[in-house]
Amino acid sequence: MFPRMRLHKYTWIKIIVKKLKYLQMDPKIPFQEIQQFLYAFHILKLKLQKGQVIIYQFIQQKRNNSRLMEGILKQQQELLGMDSSKYSVEFMKNGTDKQEHQVLSCQSVVKVLSPDDGRLSIVQAAQQLCRAVELKEKTSKDINVTVLDSLLRESKNIPDPDLVLKFGPVESTLGFLPWHIRLTEIISMPSHVDVSYDDLFGALQRYAMCDQRLGK
Amino acid sequence: MSWIRERELSFIERLTANILKAGPMPKHVAFIMDGNRRFAQKAHVQRQEGHSQGFEKLAETLRLCLNLGIHEVTVYAFSIENFKRSKEEVDGLMELARQKFSRLLTEHENLERHGVCIRVLGDLTLLPIDLQQLIAKAVVATKAHNKCFLNVCFAYTSRHEIANAVKEMAWGVEQGLIKPSDVSEVLLGECLYSSNSPNPDLLIRTSGEVRLSDFLLWQTSYSCLVFQSVLWPEYSFWNLCEAVLQYQLSYRSLQKAGDLHREGQALQQMEADRCCVAELLQHRGNGKPMDAQSRQKELLNYTASREERVHCFLNALQHKRDTAPFLPRRAAASV
């Protein structure tokens, strides 16, 4: 029924939730909008292999995080019923994030990120390396892309997204994981409100047609 | 051919430019000039010819940007990943670069007239030595120009650039110029290859690909991204206008986002300073609690001394870059 899609083992999808919208509106509303997306995604997910979803909330201040978390979990229960154990939701906290559950299992993970998880994570890794240099555990010559990359993976176990689905009219990544998106395909969609299964599937088909030459 | 083409706008083009200029205009535009090889295939010419036409288009686009009042342009000319291409193609691209940088040294007057300052960003140590020296001469020759800026990313990837910036800060710590706690988002930005430029307002990628390919990942976090399907050697004034229009449509949201981000940065810095002061006072502490006024004074002193440290470090870093090893001694002396 579904054509074979050339998808990587971990297909990450991300939503940018436009900050302005949420500051002005009743905090309850985000849950309803995310509900539709999760539902559409749920149907799609049954056809995909292992997958993970990141929800990126462009909110500077840490507002209502626990309410958002509660809301998402509640929606999960309502929508997914029996399947809800297949999904786990977590907030990425700024700083070290020790993963208990393996993301390599059939579980799908919803992660909620903010701009602090982007540049600020890189700055924190840089501070860590500088402290090591101060204590003479390392020299500046030891620092390269690999070292920095592995340090970033240690603190936040997020693989590089293959695909970013960007919702909303603002044509920007708005600080989303700058280090991780070097090869990520960025597909824009008009809005996350009333997003349909067909819209999502269409975006995934577009992704499948991308030809990554990786410099060659 | 020349680095900057003479290209006057037609009446319709001038009219359009004036209409666009009534709205907010980007001051710095970055281009991923993709599609040279596909163009060559389409036009049934050699790949090398595709790259050559790509360079011509760069010269023309630079002029078009100037006509639109865009005074800074950054282009992705050659990625570190491109070394994976066939030896023939890589050698061809190096040869093209040799020709163009040599040409640059001969058309000094033209560049002076337009006030074009050319900078080359990337890990130049990966390039053949003779090309490194040519580039060094070209950069030195146009260093004093300040009407418009062309930043050419050559042997560049963004991750390398960020890792290099971290390395430079670590060097600063090694030299005793800064402390690890001085490391911040702002400082990292100052240690990037692109530290002399503001962040791009607009990033344009041609040929229909919708990824960043390791280009300016840090600097374009709050930039307008426009992906256009036209192949680079076919890029036109109208394509540029379309991209600028897209920028204008996203302008207000991006300004707000950028302002919020900067506010957040300032708050974070103040918080970090406060923590450092608290730690210092604890160390120094004689058990007596400090009143708010003295604490505030200590905070201001600490901030001032941190800024001084950072200023000295950045000067030392600039000096290190200006006297880079591939600059022949005579050229270094004249800098």
Side-chain angles (χ1 to χ4, degrees):
Chain A
M1 203 205 296
F2 293 94
R4 281 176 63 101
M5 290 192 287
R6 182 181 55 79
L7 287 170
H8 292 225
K9 204 173 175 191
Y10 301 101
T11 302
W12 291 77
I13 299 183
K14 155 233 166 190
I15 316 176
I16 285 186
V17 170
K18 225 169 46 153
K19 181 232 173 234
L20 299 173
K21 192 162 177 156
Y22 289 96
L23 273 189
Q24 287 159 22
M25 293 165 88
D26 179 2
K28 281 214 186 83
I29 293 183
F31 312 147
Q32 286 158 2
E33 288 170 343
I34 289 172
Q35 162 192 350
Q36 274 201 302
F37 175 80
L38 278 179
Y39 186 62
F41 183 69
H42 174 68
I43 297 187
L44 207 60
K45 276 295 307 307
L46 296 174
K47 312 296 171 195
L48 298 178
Q49 292 171 347
K50 306 157 199 189
Q52 308 191 19
V53 174
I54 303 181
I55 299 178
Y56 179 66
Q57 257 202 321
F58 178 64
I59 289 185
Q60 291 283 5
Q61 299 96 20
K62 292 193 162 68
R63 269 171 65 110
N64 292 330
N65 276 358
S66 52
R67 287 192 66 184
L68 176 61
M69 181 69 118
E70 264 171 46
I72 293 178
L73 288 171
K74 188 162 154 234
Q75 294 297 339
Q76 243 180 242
Q77 290 288 358
E78 282 174 17
L79 283 173
L80 308 174
M82 295 249 289
D83 289 328
S84 67
S85 59
K86 282 214 195 97
Y87 300 85
S88 70
V89 183
E90 53 188 275
F91 265 95
M92 298 302 291
K93 286 198 197 47
N94 202 18
T96 52
D97 170 53
K98 304 264 186 301
Q99 298 277 92
E100 257 94 48
H101 41 258
Q102 283 304 318
V103 295
L104 296 173
S105 66
C106 281
Q107 259 194 339
S108 294
V109 177
V110 177
K111 289 187 173 149
V112 186
L113 304 180
S114 75
D116 285 349
D117 299 301
R119 285 183 177 186
L120 216 55
S121 295
I122 301 175
V123 169
Q124 283 168 345
Q127 281 172 342
Q128 213 177 323
L129 287 169
C130 285
R131 278 193 289 269
V133 164
E134 192 180 44
L135 296 170
K136 307 259 194 285
E137 291 165 11
K138 275 192 162 66
T139 67
S140 62
K141 290 195 171 35
D142 297 331
I143 297 174
N144 56 33
V145 176
T146 321
V147 165
L148 190 53
D149 191 46
S150 48
L151 198 55
L152 284 168
R153 307 257 167 236
E154 243 176 61
S155 67
K156 274 182 177 35
N157 187 14
I158 309 177
D160 292 353
D162 295 308
L163 169 65
V164 152
L165 285 186
K166 189 183 66 58
F167 295 87
V170 181
E171 297 299 332
S172 174
T173 55
L174 292 175
F176 178 69
L177 296 183
W179 180 268
H180 297 72
I181 57 170
R182 74 177 168 123
L183 294 175
T184 307
E185 305 289 336
I186 302 171
I187 294 182
S188 284
M189 308 204 22
S191 175
H192 61 291
V193 178
D194 285 334
V195 73
S196 74
Y197 168 77
D198 286 332
D199 294 334
L200 281 183
F201 192 77
L204 287 170
Q205 279 185 310
R206 265 190 73 188
Y207 167 75
M209 290 194 306
C210 286
D211 174 25
Q212 290 233 353
R213 296 176 293 278
L214 299 169
K216 290 209 258 300
Chain B
M1 284 220 36
S2 176
W3 275 74
I4 178 162
R5 287 256 295 265
E6 287 312 324
R7 164 81 162 87
E8 292 311 321
L9 296 180
S10 69
F11 175 71
I12 302 267
E13 286 171 345
R14 257 182 292 134
L15 189 62
T16 312
N18 286 332
I19 294 174
L20 273 179
K21 284 194 214 176
M25 292 295 284
K27 297 186 188 54
H28 178 184
V29 177
F31 288 93
I32 301 181
M33 309 182 292
D34 201 6
N36 292 340
R37 292 184 296 177
R38 271 166 281 174
F39 170 80
Q41 208 175 16
K42 194 168 134 185
H44 306 295
V45 296
Q46 294 287 341
R47 274 186 173 181
Q48 190 63 11
E49 177 60 22
H51 290 305
S52 200
Q53 298 244 11
F55 179 83
E56 297 318 314
K57 191 49 69 171
L58 168 60
E60 187 188 330
T61 307
L62 187 58
R63 191 72 176 97
L64 291 174
C65 285
L66 287 180
N67 287 336
L68 283 173
I70 298 167
H71 291 286
E72 185 139 20
V73 171
T74 301
V75 297
Y76 202 5
F78 191 85
S79 164
I80 295 179
E81 304 289 327
N82 294 149
F83 279 115
K84 290 187 212 159
R85 294 183 179 180
S86 68
K87 184 170 186 309
E88 192 191 332
E89 191 173 346
V90 173
D91 288 344
L93 286 164
M94 294 296 135
E95 190 48 44
L96 184 65
R98 274 187 199 98
Q99 281 172 18
K100 299 309 174 190
F101 283 107
S102 304
R103 167 78 205 216
L104 195 154
L105 292 169
T106 62
E107 57 168 7
H108 196 253
E109 264 176 48
N110 192 21
L111 291 169
E112 197 163 11
R113 190 155 45 93
H114 294 285
V116 184
C117 171
I118 296 191
R119 300 178 191 131
V120 180
L121 316 180
D123 188 359
L124 303 180
T125 60
L126 297 173
L127 301 172
I129 302 275
D130 66 317
L131 185 50
Q132 288 185 44
Q133 290 176 330
L134 257 176
I135 289 173
K137 282 196 204 143
V139 165
V140 165
T142 59
K143 198 172 167 136
H145 303 162
N146 61 4
K147 285 219 208 88
C148 71
F149 301 91
L150 173 61
N151 307 307
V152 181
C153 290
F154 212 83
Y156 173 95
T157 60
S158 189
R159 284 191 176 183
H160 268 84
E161 183 183 27
I162 295 171
N164 185 69
V166 175
K167 191 174 176 170
E168 302 284 33
M169 291 191 292
W171 171 79
V173 169
E174 256 170 7
Q175 302 294 313
L177 294 166
I178 48 169
K179 302 190 207 179
S181 56
D182 295 338
V183 169
S184 68
E185 218 182 291
V186 170
L187 185 59
L188 204 154
E190 299 278 352
C191 295
L192 296 170
Y193 297 138
S194 62
S195 58
N196 289 323
S197 309
N199 290 335
D201 299 302
L202 171 59
L203 178 118
I204 298 170
R205 179 169 189 153
T206 54
S207 87
E209 304 295 347
V210 290
R211 51 185 181 264
L212 295 172
S213 295
D214 225 339
F215 183 56
L216 302 180
L217 300 173
W218 179 278
Q219 296 90 326
T220 55
S221 282
Y222 295 90
S223 308
C224 181
L225 304 181
V226 175
F227 298 109
Q228 296 179 294
S229 53
V230 62
L231 298 174
W232 175 251
E234 296 173 328
Y235 203 71
S236 73
F237 177 74
W238 304 108
N239 295 127
L240 184 57
C241 289
E242 194 191 319
V244 171
L245 193 61
Q246 195 57 251
Y247 166 79
Q248 293 184 334
L249 292 171
S250 297
Y251 178 74
R252 275 180 58 206
S253 304
L254 288 177
Q255 282 302 105
K256 280 201 180 127
D259 288 341
L260 264 165
H261 178 75
R262 273 182 290 276
E263 264 172 44
Q265 265 180 328
L267 276 166
Q268 259 150 21
Q269 184 65 82
M270 205 154 46
E271 204 40 56
D273 283 350
R274 239 182 231 129
C275 287
C276 288
V277 168
E279 229 177 271
L280 258 171
L281 290 178
Q282 221 177 15
H283 264 295
R284 217 195 289 163
N286 50 11
K288 276 193 282 191
M290 266 199 154
D291 60 285
Q293 209 182 14
S294 316
R295 258 205 309 265
Q296 187 63 12
K297 191 159 161 260
E298 283 294 340
L299 182 62
L300 287 170
N301 284 343
Y302 180 81
T303 305
S305 66
R306 177 181 53 75
E307 284 171 357
E308 180 62 37
R309 267 198 308 272
V310 162
H311 182 74
C312 291
F313 161 66
L314 290 173
N315 282 343
L317 183 60
Q318 190 58 47
H319 180 77
K320 189 164 80 126
R321 284 179 175 169
D322 288 339
T323 53
F326 57 79
L327 275 175
R329 293 215 179 273
R330 267 170 286 140
S334 66
V335 159

